[in-house]
Amino acid sequence: MSDRRTGRPAVGRTAYLGAAAAFAVCMAGTTLPTPLYGLYQEEIGFSELMVTVVFAVYAFGVIGVLLFVGNVSDSVGRRPVLLCGLALAACSAVAFLAEGGLPLLCLGRLLSGLSAGLFTGTATAYVLELAPPDRRARAGFVATAANMGGLGCGPLLSGLLAEYAPAPLVLPFVVHLVLLAASFAVSWFLPETVAGARPLRTARPQRPFLPPEIRGVFLPAGIAAFAGFALLGLFTSVTPAFLAESLDVHNHAVVGLIVFAAFSASTLGQLLVPRLGTERAIPLGCLVLVAGLALLAASLARTTLWPLVLSALVGGVGQGMGLRGAVGEIAAAATAEHRGGALSALFVVAYCGISIPVIGVGLLSEPLGLADAGLVFAACMAVLAVASGAYLLRHAGPGGGTGA
């Protein structure tokens, strides 16, 4: 049996798992450098502000792609867009391997951001569409788990290799290149799900557009995504430097493990959504985020490790609940021809959340110090999360939905 449009062999009921695996591998590359920034600082010599700038370059790359070509897969097909994303991820790894100073680090992060921008909305829609009808609910979890799981596995992999293997600034990216090659091979044979997809060369930049059918649910879903990703942005930017400077923890594997715990807890939070229902999961996720931010603030204020670990676990659960609820609402409300663009629009909001605290912490770390800068932004994100949860509860409809 073959795909009618492409003539390629159809891979049956597990095709969506192959797309999810490629999704996870691509997203792992975006967080792969997290435990390595201290080594780059020692080798190249730049400030904590420049670390946050390098980190933020990635977010700007994601946002740019999502804004202008986020819905391109709705017209040219999911598969070619994912193949381009994997190629950009490979170019990013090569830029890091070149070790040519700060400009190449920024280039590597930019290419990584472009890759993630192509993958986030497109891969989420692709996994949902490849899944058989009786596995659609499971596929929604698989897609968001691949996203968060991949983001968590990146720092865990690079942290372990940097601490216990030779060539800490080389081996992680070599391993990632091997995984990318395998993902490219798997994706090449996946069937296309967009009927009448046009050739890739016909793709053109498009203005940002919210389909009318999702505008009612987009605001509450976007608020939840922004709040959750803001915590992850704060966490991934502050944690490595805070561990080294304030807690005297220089083990790269420990850094990677703590960041991995946050993303793993996000996957756990997503598992809770079917039992709670979206109308409860999103506002409750915002409230759990507040608890995670409070634990993060306690760790920053008292310079102790265990509140930081608990913050990763509690905050990750809240973020996962909000993210899966938001993706579920947008995917259900959007029509098939607009689903990729709608999900990309949601992730634009999410990546605005992940970039704002990163830049803010970097700017405030010089006059206030790293810990106090983290406290300021933890307080700001807590206020946002409380406001988000209160808004969603206040605007719940008679049946418990958002009633937007």
Side-chain angles (χ1 to χ4, degrees), residues 146-388:
N147 191 347
M148 292 296 105
L151 289 168
C153 286
L156 180 63
L157 173 65
S158 60
L160 290 170
L161 292 176
E163 188 66 30
Y164 303 114
L169 296 180
V170 174
L171 190 57
F173 299 102
V174 172
V175 172
H176 190 233
L177 280 173
V178 173
L179 294 174
L180 286 169
S183 299
F184 194 95
V186 170
S187 301
W188 182 265
F189 290 103
L190 291 176
E192 182 54 68
T193 58
V194 175
R198 301 195 302 268
L200 185 60
R201 65 177 180 274
T202 64
R204 296 291 184 273
Q206 302 180 32
R207 294 175 61 186
F209 172 70
L210 276 182
E213 67 270 16
I214 74 160
R215 291 174 186 173
V217 300
F218 188 82
L219 178 61
I223 290 172
F226 182 95
F229 271 72
L231 173 62
L232 293 183
L234 185 66
F235 212 90
T236 51
S237 62
V238 169
T239 299
F242 177 68
L243 284 169
E245 295 179 13
S246 300
L247 301 180
D248 200 29
V249 176
H250 299 279
N251 187 302
H252 304 294
V254 171
V255 174
L257 185 60
I258 292 175
V259 178
F260 171 76
F263 290 105
S264 298
S266 171
T267 304
L268 175 62
Q270 294 166 37
L271 281 172
L272 300 176
V273 173
R275 295 185 177 183
L276 295 170
T278 302
E279 68 280 0
R280 295 179 181 177
I282 296 181
L284 184 58
C286 289
L287 297 180
V288 175
L289 278 174
V290 174
L293 285 162
L295 288 165
L296 177 61
S299 178
L300 292 170
R302 299 187 177 185
T303 60
T304 52
L305 178 62
W306 287 111
L308 187 68
V309 176
L310 291 174
S311 170
L313 297 172
V314 174
V317 168
Q319 189 274 342
M321 292 166 62
L323 177 64
R324 187 177 180 188
V327 168
E329 284 203 353
I330 295 297
T335 58
E337 61 269 22
H338 291 149
R339 189 170 293 122
L343 290 169
S344 293
L346 174 66
F347 283 107
V348 167
V349 177
Y351 277 94
C352 284
I354 207 172
S355 60
I356 289 173
V358 170
I359 297 171
V361 168
L363 289 172
L364 288 180
S365 62
E366 293 293 331
L368 299 182
L370 187 60
D372 288 343
L375 285 171
V376 170
F377 272 82
C380 291
M381 292 306 107
V383 170
L384 176 62
V386 169
S388 302

Side-chain angles (χ1 to χ4, degrees), residues 27-35 109 112 150-155 158 236 259 263:
M27 299 311 292
T30 67
T31 53
L32 201 66
T34 298
R109 290 300 289 164
S112 183
L151 289 168
C153 286
S158 60
T236 51
V259 178
F263 290 105

